[in-house]
Amino acid sequence: MESTCVDTSLHLNVGPRDSQAISAEDLVQELHRLSSENQKLTESLTHMRENCKLLKKQLSQAMIKNTYSPERDPANQSSKKRKAETDACIDNMISISGNTECSNITDEDSSFRRPATKVSRVLVRTQASDTGLYVRDGYQWRKYGQKVTRDNPSPRAYFRCSFAPSCPVKKKVQKSAEDPTVLVATYEGEHNHGRHGSELPLLASNQSQDDGARDSGLMAENGGKSTQQCLVQQMATSLTRDPNFTAALATAISGRILNLASN
DNA sequence: CGATTTTGACCGGCGC
DNA sequence: GCGCCGGTCAAAATCG
């Protein structure tokens, strides 16, 4: 599969002090650049999804034929479970071979699993030395358990959304069995609130450091980075996870242009 | 002192 | 019915 390199450097000055130094013209140009970039990313994503679907289909057929055929494996009677394991394996292979820093697979894309609640998987590449099972996603999580599972030597961590007590969302984080530098985060359910009280916290330049520090995951991953570096990293992560992110970014920039124009 | 993490115990589903 | 396994609970420990 072809690899896609996404330039996540937005070349933005996110510090509030710099905002006065940016001219409206610069922001308009940035807006246009981001719009075209968004279009390219969307096209690229569509292309990759099509390739993924095709590969998944081919691999599934091949593995069911060769590896898990009942004739070759008489002991294997639990075909449903094996099928699920095969699918998970295929998902992993495809996701990791995508060569992106972060991939997002939802079950809306999958023709295999149809759970009652919305389940999505996110792969995040970390440094090999990073032993933490924390995936920064803008939400506030409370860890409630950790288990070592049969198919993976690294433990799986269980998180609940603690931003809103009534939020039903759960998250599982585990290192990939194939590549220990990749964290696999599985989200179950949908948030019934915004991220830290805002739909676009990453763009909110007035977001206090306390807001960020409330996210224990953020605290665990900061590792001495400045708040601005963390914000930029968060923006890059959101950009790769959500094709609509640049559109939201453009909206935010538009707002800033209007503010500058009114001053 | 409250919030969060850790970790062993417990529970329920599933296959045999 | 039994054992395995994933998921959750809850008490103790830790942190800010």
Side-chain angles (χ1 to χ4, degrees):
Chain A
M1 185 196 289
E2 66 182 280
S3 66
T4 306
C5 292
V6 179
D7 179 15
T8 56
S9 57
L10 297 174
H11 311 301
L12 288 178
N13 296 314
V14 294
R17 287 185 205 90
D18 298 332
S19 60
Q20 297 302 321
I22 306 170
S23 71
E25 196 176 335
D26 288 341
L27 288 171
V28 169
Q29 279 178 5
E30 188 69 11
L31 182 62
H32 287 148
R33 189 181 70 79
L34 288 170
S35 294
S36 64
E37 190 174 291
N38 184 33
Q39 197 176 347
K40 281 179 195 170
L41 282 168
T42 307
E43 283 171 9
S44 170
L45 189 65
T46 307
H47 186 61
M48 284 174 71
R49 276 182 174 162
E50 281 170 5
N51 281 339
C52 278
K53 275 184 188 174
L54 194 64
L55 265 175
K56 192 186 279 187
K57 199 175 175 181
Q58 288 172 353
L59 273 167
S60 183
Q61 286 171 350
M63 290 178 83
I64 288 166
K65 241 184 209 175
N66 299 328
T67 310
Y68 293 117
S69 122
E71 292 81 13
R72 291 185 181 209
D73 186 8
N76 175 24
Q77 298 300 314
S78 53
S79 57
K80 275 186 188 174
K81 191 176 177 182
R82 291 295 183 194
K83 177 75 164 56
E85 285 174 356
T86 305
D87 292 344
C89 177
I90 292 167
D91 271 351
N92 267 342
M93 289 161 68
I94 290 172
S95 301
I96 293 164
S97 66
N99 197 28
T100 56
E101 289 297 308
C102 178
S103 308
N104 188 1
I105 296 175
T106 70
D107 281 279
E108 289 165 348
D109 300 330
S110 169
S111 56
F112 295 121
R113 295 180 302 273
R114 291 175 191 84
T117 57
K118 184 179 178 180
V119 177
S120 63
R121 283 198 325 149
V122 175
L123 304 187
V124 181
R125 197 173 293 283
T126 62
Q127 294 185 4
S129 58
D130 189 358
T131 56
L133 289 171
Y134 295 95
V135 174
R136 181 168 47 246
D137 51 21
Y139 291 100
Q140 188 181 343
W141 300 96
R142 176 188 164 88
K143 187 177 179 182
Y144 65 90
Q146 182 166 316
K147 267 283 195 196
V148 176
T149 54
R150 200 172 55 93
D151 55 344
N152 194 330
S154 71
R156 174 185 296 169
Y158 299 89
F159 298 89
R160 254 193 283 264
C161 181
S162 64
F163 185 73
S166 61
C167 184
V169 180
K170 288 176 189 172
K171 173 170 87 166
K172 289 180 283 191
V173 181
Q174 188 174 31
K175 285 187 176 179
S176 166
E178 287 84 6
D179 185 353
T181 66
V182 173
L183 284 178
V184 181
T186 306
Y187 295 84
E188 292 177 25
E190 289 182 80
H191 293 278
N192 54 14
H193 56 85
R195 294 183 184 184
H196 284 186
S198 164
E199 289 300 319
L200 278 172
L202 308 180
L203 297 175
S205 56
N206 60 346
Q207 182 190 17
S208 70
Q209 181 136 14
D210 284 347
D211 281 347
R214 260 192 278 130
D215 187 335
S216 56
L218 191 60
M219 285 194 292
E221 289 181 31
N222 276 357
K225 286 179 189 164
S226 71
T227 306
Q228 185 162 334
Q229 281 176 313
C230 289
L231 277 170
V232 171
Q233 193 179 336
Q234 280 191 335
M235 288 169 77
T237 303
S238 297
L239 181 64
T240 52
R241 275 188 59 195
D242 184 0
N244 295 321
F245 182 77
T246 49
L249 191 59
T251 308
I253 292 172
S254 300
R256 250 168 115 172
I257 292 172
L258 288 175
N259 278 343
L260 282 172
S262 63
N263 285 341

